[in-house]
Amino acid sequence: KLEQLTAELARAEQKFTSKDAELQAQTEEVGAQHTRAEAALQQQLEALRMSLAQKETQLATEDRELRAKLEQLTAELARAEQKFTSKDAELQAQTEEVGAQHTRAEAALQQQLEALRMSLAQKETQLATEDRELRAKLEQLTA
């Protein structure tokens, strides 16, 4: 009976040792897989960090370029607005001067027209007087 139990114990110990070795090998394999996976993830993480740093640098450069372009366009717009405002004021002044010249010319023409009318009226009166005088002479001569 003791031999039988000893043999069973020896088989159980053998089975335990075998199972323990198998579990130990599996544990080491899982540990190795974990280590490889962690190393791969670290590489990916480092690659992502480098990519992110490059992207941040690129975006910062683009941002500076866009801000410079915006500043340039804003300055150009301000100059164009100033030029437009100046030209508009110049044209407004010219328009007012032309209007004033037109008004003065119209007044001068009205005065000339009025003087011509008065002169014409005087001429008509003078001619009517001469006509009456000539008719009177003609009547006198024919009588």
Side-chain angles (χ1 to χ4, degrees):
K1 182 89 177 168
L2 184 59
E3 268 180 45
Q4 181 186 358
L5 287 174
T6 302
E8 282 179 30
L9 181 60
R11 281 191 304 276
E13 282 178 351
Q14 177 62 33
K15 198 174 181 182
F16 173 77
T17 302
S18 173
K19 193 65 167 170
D20 187 49
E22 184 183 327
L23 288 173
Q24 185 64 35
Q26 287 177 354
T27 300
E28 288 173 9
E29 177 56 29
V30 167
Q33 287 175 355
H34 176 76
T35 301
R36 287 190 300 271
E38 190 173 3
L41 287 173
Q42 279 290 58
Q43 284 180 336
Q44 289 176 355
L45 183 60
E46 192 55 36
L48 285 173
R49 283 185 180 140
M50 287 174 56
S51 175
L52 179 61
Q54 288 174 342
K55 201 53 135 171
E56 286 175 340
T57 301
Q58 178 187 347
L59 289 174
T61 300
E62 288 175 9
D63 183 61
R64 281 192 305 278
E65 290 170 356
L66 288 173
R67 287 180 189 275
K69 187 71 175 172
L70 177 63
E71 199 171 302
Q72 176 190 354
L73 290 174
T74 302
E76 287 177 17
L77 178 62
R79 284 192 298 274
E81 286 176 340
Q82 177 61 37
K83 198 173 180 180
F84 172 79
T85 302
S86 175
K87 195 66 172 172
D88 186 52
E90 182 183 326
L91 289 174
Q92 185 66 33
Q94 288 175 357
T95 301
E96 289 172 7
E97 177 56 28
V98 166
Q101 287 174 358
H102 176 75
T103 302
R104 288 191 299 270
E106 191 175 7
L109 287 173
Q110 281 289 22
Q111 284 178 339
Q112 289 175 1
L113 182 61
E114 195 55 38
L116 285 172
R117 283 185 181 140
M118 286 173 58
S119 173
L120 180 61
Q122 287 173 348
K123 268 292 185 209
E124 286 175 343
T125 303
Q126 179 186 345
L127 287 174
T129 303
E130 288 176 11
D131 185 55
R132 279 193 307 278
E133 290 171 358
L134 285 174
R135 285 180 192 275
K137 265 189 186 178
L138 182 64
E139 206 173 290
Q140 191 180 30
L141 288 173
T142 53

